[in-house]
Amino acid sequence: MKIAFFSTQPYDVTFFNKENKQFDFELEYFETGLEEQTVGLVTEDTDVVCVFVNDKVDAEVIQRLAEKKIKYIALRCAGFNNVDLDAAHKHNIRVCRVPAYSPEAVAEHTLAMLFTLNRKIHKAYNRVREQNFSLNGLLGTNIYKKTVGIIGTGNIGSVFCRMMKALGTEVLAYDVYPNKALEADGTVRYVELDELFTKSDIISLHCPLTPETLHIINEENIQKMKDGVMLINTSRGKLIDTHAIIQGLRNKKIGALGIDVYEQEEKVFFRDLSGTILEDERLQLLTSFPNVLVTAHQAFFTDEALTQIAFVTLDNLKQLSTTNEIVGRVAEL
């Protein structure tokens, strides 16, 4: 089986080559993302295209892939909002993903962003490097006994719920499919969104991007929040209306913002733009706020997670090609 990888980074090559020793597939790597202009890179002897979060696998791309007799689209991530599943099914191209890969990795990064923003670690680090040992402007608060609202309690969200409960916070949660185990052991109290917005000191997003969650953080919902609320998003960029969040920061409704994902990240993230002028004015503005912390979609970026992503992606394809089904994980879409 020949697999064409798009949006490839050096670490993808390292981890997939390592895990492929037990599968012996033919792997071909492209640094460019998959879109209509680059689908021509897929050769006629290719069986699979492997894509990441910012590749554009729309109906036009899938049509071209079908013409090249592609059998499978493998996502090396959990999210799949960038793939036109209806078009894939129409052309009998099977789609699989990695439904869970070290949820602790993302939850721990979320916690790191929370602590960094609250205790202003990023500012303190830069000050000390300049031999400025003043504490003025670095005042934080205790997380203990704060109210934390968590939207989405799937694999990652549930891990984060337990982390926050262990810190002595009150955890409010919202999910269309509540986790009964979290509720039963007293880790969370499920509430409606409005109550979560109005009562939470800290809000963390861990839900998928769907038509219902698109811009779930918008001007109307921001107005319901406590003054000075901390908001963290390590899930999907389009959960947040960027224009609305900038206004919330300006009027001090949002006290701190941590984002590992961004609404227009496909034009920026995973690239070294240090020698260029950033053309995204909204992102440029966000990074200028002293109470905003931006990381470039690195929450998943641990050795354990990348090993799991590579293994599960390749194992999904092995199972589909040999037994026509994937056993043991909800991976096919």
Side-chain angles (χ1 to χ4, degrees), residues 72 94-97 99 312-313 315-321 323-333:
Y72 310 108
R94 300 177 74 171
V95 183
C96 58
R97 63 179 179 132
V312 172
T313 299
D315 188 58
N316 284 343
L317 293 169
K318 178 182 178 181
Q319 291 195 49
L320 283 175
S321 63
T323 66
N324 208 38
E325 63 177 340
I326 299 173
V327 179
R329 63 179 76 100
V330 185
E332 188 171 8
L333 298 166

Side-chain angles (χ1 to χ4, degrees), residues 7-198:
S7 298
T8 303
Q9 299 291 334
Y11 47 82
D12 291 312
V13 177
T14 298
F15 281 89
F16 273 93
N17 282 350
K18 179 181 178 182
E19 294 303 311
N20 190 47
K21 290 177 182 177
Q22 56 188 306
F23 295 96
D24 199 28
F25 295 142
E26 181 182 352
L27 310 183
E28 183 176 23
Y29 298 104
F30 298 106
E31 291 184 15
T32 185
L34 179 62
E35 56 184 344
E36 194 170 3
Q37 289 73 28
T38 60
V39 71
L41 293 171
V42 180
T43 56
E44 299 292 340
D45 61 339
T46 304
D47 303 289
V48 185
V49 292
C50 184
V51 298
F52 198 48
V53 292
N54 292 325
D55 291 302
K56 296 180 180 179
V57 197
D58 56 20
E60 290 75 17
V61 168
I62 289 173
Q63 171 70 41
R64 296 279 302 280
L65 293 176
E67 292 169 0
K68 294 173 179 288
K69 310 299 183 185
I70 293 297
K71 300 174 184 176
Y72 310 108
I73 296 170
L75 292 125
R76 56 184 188 273
C77 53
F80 52 89
N81 53 279
N82 56 328
V83 179
D84 189 327
L85 295 178
D86 290 336
H89 296 157
K90 175 184 174 182
H91 291 287
N92 295 315
I93 297 176
R94 300 177 74 171
V95 183
C96 58
R97 63 179 179 132
V98 183
Y101 50 88
S102 183
E104 293 80 11
V106 181
E108 288 171 7
H109 189 79
T110 306
L111 186 62
M113 296 190 87
L114 188 160
F115 281 132
T116 299
L117 284 165
N118 179 52
R119 300 305 297 268
K120 302 175 178 61
I121 303 298
H122 53 315
K123 290 185 180 181
Y125 172 79
N126 287 326
R127 280 191 185 185
V128 170
R129 284 175 61 86
E130 296 174 356
Q131 300 182 36
N132 177 356
F133 301 99
S134 167
L135 298 184
N136 293 326
L138 301 181
L139 186 67
T141 64
N142 287 358
I143 300 301
Y144 178 63
K145 289 192 174 181
K146 291 293 188 295
T147 299
V148 179
I150 299 174
I151 301 176
T153 54
N155 291 316
I156 297 168
S158 61
V159 171
F160 189 66
C161 285
R162 296 193 187 282
M163 288 181 175
M164 298 315 298
K165 189 66 176 179
L167 290 173
T169 69
E170 178 186 4
V171 183
L172 306 181
Y174 172 82
D175 199 306
V176 291
Y177 302 106
N179 184 322
K180 294 180 180 179
L182 288 176
E183 194 170 30
D185 64 16
T187 299
V188 306
R189 179 167 68 88
Y190 281 96
V191 296
E192 294 301 317
L193 269 178
D194 280 358
E195 183 176 352
L196 186 148
F197 286 138
T198 57

